[in-house]
Amino acid sequence: MEDTVRDEKVKNEKTEFAKEAHDDKREYIFQKNSITKKGFFIVIAALIILTIGLIVSGVAF
């Protein structure tokens, strides 16, 4: 029996990583704006703090 079920939600699979401010497209992951940059640095800072915490806890015990 043939499998005829198709996923109609995915129209275009050419998703780009970042959207430029002048592009009118919907297939992107991040926008290049100040909110994305601030969020990126907050996530990186949290990961660094967690890594330092893991290293310190391993040394202390």
Side-chain angles (χ1 to χ4, degrees), residues 17-39:
F17 189 70
K19 176 186 173 191
E20 298 290 335
H22 56 80
D23 287 342
D24 291 333
K25 61 184 172 188
R26 297 180 62 120
E27 296 84 18
Y28 60 89
I29 298 173
F30 294 111
Q31 290 184 347
K32 288 188 176 179
N33 59 17
S34 64
I35 295 173
T36 304
K37 291 178 185 175
K38 288 177 188 175

Side-chain angles (χ1 to χ4, degrees), residues 4 8 10-11 16 21 28 30-32 36 38 41 43 46-48 51 53 61:
T4 58
E8 296 295 327
V10 178
K11 301 268 189 223
E16 293 186 25
Y28 60 89
F30 294 111
Q31 290 184 347
K32 288 188 176 179
T36 304
K38 288 177 188 175
F41 288 119
V43 169
L47 290 174
I48 290 172
T51 304
F61 297 107

